[in-house]
Amino acid sequence: KQEVTQIPAALSVPEGENLVLNCSFTDSAIYNLQWFRQDPGKGLTSLLLIQSSQREQTSGRLNASLDKSSGRSTLYIAASQPGDSATYLCAVDTGRRALTFGSGTRLQVQP
Amino acid sequence: GAVVSQHPSRVICKSGTSVKIECRSLDFQATTMFWYRQFPKQSLMLMATSNEGSKATYEQGVEKDKFLINHASLTLSTLTVTSAHPEDSSFYICSARDRGRGRSNQPQHFGDGTRLSIL
């Protein structure tokens, strides 16, 4: 059974810092890995999707990497802003078509 | 871009009421939609897979008679919480993927969720 773990569970940083969020998964047989953002009481916003054959994806200040063999992914946020404050979830598609989610990292960027 | 619409966004009702939540794919067809539940400060847990034209597939521990799923068309799935009780209070969210596009490089698209509060 696929298990997804995210570290840290919570993170507070001053504005402008670069930061890294970590995601690990136990079964490396995945189709893709997706990073989402969730604001309090809201749904999910897809940030980046990395296919199993890819090593990384970039969108603006966000960069996600994937090391499938070791079961790890990182989300790098450059020059963090207060508006980046949210919960960040990683999820893997392992062939059941539904996604298996990590428990998330709650990020607070202090002005 | 692909959009999934979920309605209603918030429901507050008395114990014993049945509540229907709709999930629509607005600009693509989805033979399969997924229903997740999220308790406060926890992650999303898959409840069931909704299959167009056939029975839904439920995850272990999810009561199919409690959570009725209907997927009558390629753009609509509904989740009905029957005789809801306070312990059913949660955030319910659906997702779908465009059936016409390749599997590995297409993201799942999520609705905005429904906050269900049973008094």
Side-chain angles (χ1 to χ4, degrees):
Chain A
K1 177 184 176 184
Q2 178 74 266
E3 293 184 3
V4 181
T5 303
Q6 289 187 247
I7 296 173
L11 183 63
S12 181
V13 300
E15 182 176 5
E17 274 205 5
N18 302 324
L19 54 100
V20 176
L21 308 181
N22 297 291
C23 173
S24 62
F25 46 96
T26 55
D27 185 349
S28 61
I30 65 171
Y31 279 84
N32 60 56
L33 182 145
Q34 225 172 320
W35 282 93
F36 295 90
R37 169 186 173 136
Q38 185 177 31
D39 292 291
K42 303 293 185 181
L44 303 183
T45 300
S46 180
L47 299 174
L48 290 164
L49 180 145
I50 310 177
Q51 298 178 53
S52 62
S53 59
Q54 297 176 326
R55 298 283 293 182
E56 66 176 346
Q57 282 287 328
T58 299
S59 176
R61 294 182 294 108
L62 305 179
N63 176 276
S65 68
L66 175 64
D67 184 342
K68 197 174 75 163
S69 62
S70 67
R72 295 181 181 181
S73 176
T74 62
L75 178 66
Y76 175 83
I77 303 177
S80 59
Q81 303 171 357
D84 295 331
S85 299
T87 295
Y88 290 81
L89 297 164
C90 75
V92 296
D93 183 346
T94 56
R96 299 184 63 234
R97 303 208 288 179
L99 299 181
T100 301
F101 283 85
S103 54
T105 294
R106 292 187 301 280
L107 173 65
Q108 183 71 37
V109 180
Q110 307 291 343
Chain B
V3 175
V4 172
S5 173
Q6 189 171 339
H7 179 80
S9 59
R10 179 85 193 244
V11 179
I12 302 173
C13 57
K14 294 181 179 179
S15 184
T17 306
S18 291
V19 178
K20 180 186 283 188
I21 303 169
E22 294 188 346
C23 180
R24 294 180 184 274
S25 55
L26 297 185
D27 54 0
F28 64 96
Q29 294 182 332
T31 52
T32 304
M33 294 185 178
F34 305 98
W35 289 96
Y36 297 84
R37 180 168 53 185
Q38 184 179 36
F39 290 107
K41 297 189 177 181
Q42 295 186 26
S43 193
L44 281 73
M45 298 298 294
L46 179 68
M47 297 176 64
T49 301
S50 172
N51 303 299
E52 188 267 335
S54 64
K55 292 182 179 180
T57 304
Y58 291 82
E59 295 301 296
Q60 190 174 10
V62 177
E63 301 175 56
K64 61 180 180 181
D65 295 330
K66 174 76 170 177
F67 299 98
L68 300 179
I69 291 174
N70 183 277
H71 195 150
S73 77
L74 288 171
T75 59
L76 174 64
S77 174
T78 61
L79 168 67
T80 300
V81 184
T82 60
S83 187
H85 292 286
E87 60 265 29
D88 299 321
S89 299
S90 188
F91 188 65
Y92 293 86
I93 190 166
C94 68
S95 74
R97 183 186 282 115
D98 188 337
R99 75 163 185 164
R101 311 189 76 172
R103 171 83 180 274
S104 65
N105 62 345
Q106 291 304 315
Q108 285 209 12
H109 302 284
F110 285 79
D112 286 337
T114 298
R115 175 76 56 193
L116 177 62
S117 300
I118 308 298
L119 306 177

